[in-house]
């Protein structure tokens, strides 16, 4: 059993804590780790109702302080109760800006026998804070009743109350990672996590970027319904490649685009005409169908019925003999995900059906077990535009 871990966010309001917390939760869930994220704001709203003004957060508001402690206690009871009952990674998304509050969390963590990591979000740039307030805070249920400018004013006052009592995580408080200015600079101390989580945290940046996903154009093997291989594009696939290059030329949002392909000919040929920086990842190659490479589904059913049945029973975990399962594909995509999180520019990924299903599940938070059934048709570009904590999606059919 891997050790239990508690990841505890720290930071003033509008520093990107929830963005980071949700990213971590999504990544770990995608990797099949039993993860739970609790947001203190949600607990406050469900216990006390939304629409508290900044007065509620004043440090000298005795009733407000007691109510906030009660909310934190309820959230911690649930989260650490869940961790003790078999959970693996608990993520607590709250300000935790005082030592007293972090001491309370540390006690709970010790009782649950979990390793504690503070993840502190710091922002030295006022313009970034203002953007976060306007992009995500004013649309919170807390401000549903207020005009935008009143909401902005109130939120700034809320930040000032927290600032007056803020104690950054100290050297004597155990392990921490401090994300300064969306991860432009990182400070770490005593972080002893398993490499997959540790490397993710070190590669994560608070950058929201547009992302486009598409399969390669139709290949010669697609026409014959054969799995895998490394065939060239068909004439229809070549025509798609031209339309894709035109799309990139026409879209303003794609001006600074970088293009990632697999190492297989059909994705490289699809991206060839796009006049943008390109990078090849072997990890983006299609699922390896092992002994079934080069066969059609009908042929597999005919010649290897037990394999076809086993795959139909559990498509996510089924591993082709000498090949891979979807679960394996997720594991192999980890370096791509790390590179994605480091990348600052908008990105087009030209991939294959199974790898794109897995990558799309990571980006959109779809349960990994569902990814083998996602629809990623040929000649369709999936456009993911960033919102506060997720993406909005459009599908662009190109012929
Ligand atoms: O058929 C095209 C293809 O990319 C194959 O190379 C691959 O084996 C398959 O799709 C993956 O889809 P599924 O997991 O649904 O068989």
């Amino acid at each position: 059993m891997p050790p239990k871990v508690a990841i505890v966010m720290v930071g003033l309001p509008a520093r990107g804590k929830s963005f980071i917390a949700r990213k971590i939760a999504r990544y770990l869930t995608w990797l099949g780790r039993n993860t739970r994220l609790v947001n203190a704001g949600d607990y406050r709203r469900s216990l006390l109702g939304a629409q508290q003004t900044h007065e509620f957060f004043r440090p000298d508001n005795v009733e407000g302080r007691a109510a906030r402690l009660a909310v934190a206690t309820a959230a911690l009871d649930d989260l650490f109760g869940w961790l003790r009952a078999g959970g693996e990674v608990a993520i607590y998304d709250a300000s935790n800006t005082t030592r007293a509050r972090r001491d309370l969390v540390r006690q709970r963590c010790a009782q649950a026998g979990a390793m504690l990591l503070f993840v502190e979000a710091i922002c030295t740039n006022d313009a970034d804070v203002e953007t976060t307030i306007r992009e995500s805070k004013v649309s919170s249920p807390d401000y549903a009743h207020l005009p935008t400018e009143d909401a902005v004013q109130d939120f700034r006052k809320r930040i000032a109350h927290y600032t007056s009592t803020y104690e950054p995580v100290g050297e004597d408080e155990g392990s921490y990672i401090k994300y300064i200015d969306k991860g432009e600079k990182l400070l770490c101390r005593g972080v002893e996590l398993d490499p997959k989580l540790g490397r993710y945290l070190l590669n994560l940046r608070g950058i929201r970027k547009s992302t486009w996903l598409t399969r390669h154009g139709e290949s010669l093997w697609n026409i014959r319904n054969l799995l895998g291989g490394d065939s060239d594009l068909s004439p229809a696939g070549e025509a798609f490649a031209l339309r894709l290059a035109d799309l990139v030329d026409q879209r303003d949002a794609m001006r600074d685009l970088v293009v990632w392909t697999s190492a297989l000919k059909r994705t490289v040929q699809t991206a060839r005409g796009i006049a943008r920086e390109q990078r090849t990842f072997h990890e983006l190659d299609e699922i390896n169908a092992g002994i079934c490479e080069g066969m059609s589904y009908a042929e597999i059913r005919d010649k290897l019925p037990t394999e076809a049945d086993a795959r139909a029973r559990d498509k996510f975990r089924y591993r082709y003999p000498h090949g891979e399962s979807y679960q394996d594909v997720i594991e192999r995509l980890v370096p791509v995900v790390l590179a994605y999180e480091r990348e600052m520019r908008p990105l087009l990924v030209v991939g294959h059906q199974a790898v794109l299903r897995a990558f799309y599940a990571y980006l959109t938070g779809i349960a990994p077990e569902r990814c083998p059934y996602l629809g990623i048709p040929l000649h369709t570009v999936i456009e993911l535009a960033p919102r506060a904590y997720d993406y909005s999606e459009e599908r662009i059919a190109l012929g």
Side-chain angles (χ1 to χ4, degrees):
M1 262 261 287
K4 291 177 189 294
V5 177
I7 295 177
V8 175
M9 303 307 298
V10 177
L12 295 171
R15 265 55 184 179
K17 296 186 298 296
S18 296
F19 180 77
I20 295 172
R22 286 174 199 227
K23 279 264 182 196
I24 300 169
R26 204 172 288 169
Y27 171 72
L28 292 173
T29 305
W30 182 69
L31 286 174
R33 306 279 287 271
N34 191 6
T35 305
R36 181 159 171 201
L37 165 67
V38 157
N39 172 276
D42 291 343
Y43 270 71
R44 169 172 54 77
R45 281 181 285 272
S46 80
L47 292 174
L48 308 174
Q51 311 186 355
Q52 281 93 15
T53 70
H54 73 92
E55 296 288 346
F56 176 78
F57 300 92
R58 290 182 81 102
D60 56 2
N61 176 345
V62 177
E63 272 172 35
R65 258 176 41 205
R68 284 195 285 133
L69 181 59
V71 166
T73 306
L76 291 170
D77 283 349
D78 281 358
L79 186 62
F80 283 95
W82 169 87
L83 197 59
R84 279 198 306 271
E88 217 181 313
V89 185
I91 304 174
Y92 182 44
D93 179 17
S95 331
N96 298 311
T97 39
T98 61
R99 276 179 176 258
R101 186 57 60 83
R102 293 194 292 272
D103 287 345
L104 178 67
V105 176
R106 185 177 296 103
Q107 268 170 29
R108 296 304 184 95
C109 199
Q111 284 159 8
M115 284 171 53
L116 171 61
L117 173 70
F118 290 118
V119 173
E120 184 168 5
I122 297 169
C123 192
T124 62
N125 181 343
D126 292 344
D128 283 343
V129 174
E130 189 68 17
T131 307
T132 306
I133 295 175
R134 288 181 184 276
E135 278 180 359
S136 45
K137 298 300 174 187
V138 297
S139 53
S140 139
D142 287 354
Y143 292 123
H145 62 303
L146 278 188
T148 301
E149 286 314 311
D150 294 358
V152 171
Q153 291 298 332
D154 187 85
F155 202 83
R156 287 195 194 125
K157 287 182 190 152
R158 190 195 291 189
I159 293 177
H161 297 322
Y162 275 95
T163 307
S164 69
T165 57
Y166 179 26
E167 298 163 297
V169 175
E171 295 305 308
D172 55 337
E173 288 191 75
S175 303
Y176 65 69
I177 297 186
K178 298 187 185 224
Y179 285 86
I180 302 170
D181 294 331
K182 297 183 176 174
E184 223 171 83
K185 184 170 164 192
L186 296 182
L187 291 178
C188 307
R189 181 175 185 282
V191 180
E192 287 174 23
L193 297 168
D194 72 89
K196 253 189 232 134
L197 175 54
R199 277 168 56 213
Y200 184 76
L201 293 174
L202 296 180
N203 281 275
L204 192 57
R205 307 282 175 271
I207 301 295
R208 295 169 175 81
K209 55 184 170 277
S210 291
T211 304
W212 291 266
L213 308 177
T214 182
R215 285 171 71 184
H216 53 82
E218 182 193 67
S219 71
L220 295 173
W221 275 29
N222 285 144
I223 299 178
R224 296 167 57 204
N225 277 322
L226 304 180
L227 302 191
D230 192 15
S231 67
D232 292 308
L233 293 185
S234 72
E238 293 284 4
F240 169 72
L242 293 177
R243 284 194 291 272
L244 183 62
D246 282 348
L247 178 82
V248 173
D249 272 348
Q250 286 156 16
R251 292 258 171 147
D252 237 22
M254 291 174 129
R255 203 168 353 138
D256 302 322
L257 192 74
V258 268
V259 182
W260 291 359
T261 68
S262 74
L264 296 172
K265 284 194 288 188
R266 53 197 187 275
T267 61
V268 174
Q269 290 172 6
T270 303
R272 196 166 42 194
I274 302 174
R276 297 288 185 280
E277 185 183 311
Q278 309 214 355
R279 181 170 171 191
T280 303
F281 284 89
H282 279 285
E283 293 89 343
L284 281 171
D285 286 358
E286 182 52 312
I287 189 170
N288 179 350
I291 60 168
C292 297
E293 286 274 314
M295 294 170 84
S296 69
Y297 292 112
E299 201 182 343
I300 298 170
R301 176 135 293 288
D302 191 36
K303 293 192 181 142
L304 301 166
T306 45
E307 295 301 327
D309 286 346
R311 192 161 201 253
R313 267 198 308 277
D314 187 355
K315 193 174 174 189
F316 180 66
R317 286 175 196 83
Y318 169 81
R319 179 181 284 149
Y320 285 106
H322 303 293
E324 291 176 303
S325 65
Y326 271 87
Q327 208 169 20
D328 295 331
V329 169
I330 285 182
E331 293 289 323
R332 124 156 103 81
L333 275 176
V334 166
V336 175
V337 164
L338 300 184
Y340 177 82
E341 293 304 342
R342 276 195 314 269
E343 180 58 64
M344 316 283 270
R345 295 165 292 180
L347 196 86
L348 166 65
V349 181
V350 183
H352 306 262
Q353 177 152 255
V355 281
L356 287 180
R357 282 172 172 159
F359 191 50
Y360 176 88
Y362 164 70
L363 293 175
T364 59
I366 287 175
E369 286 81 3
R370 281 184 51 210
C371 80
Y373 309 100
L374 298 174
I376 311 270
L378 282 175
H379 301 180
T380 304
V381 179
I382 302 173
E383 179 173 46
L384 298 171
R387 294 193 291 213
Y389 303 121
D390 60 5
Y391 299 92
S392 65
E393 178 176 333
E394 296 269 349
R395 295 205 168 203
I396 309 165
L398 286 185

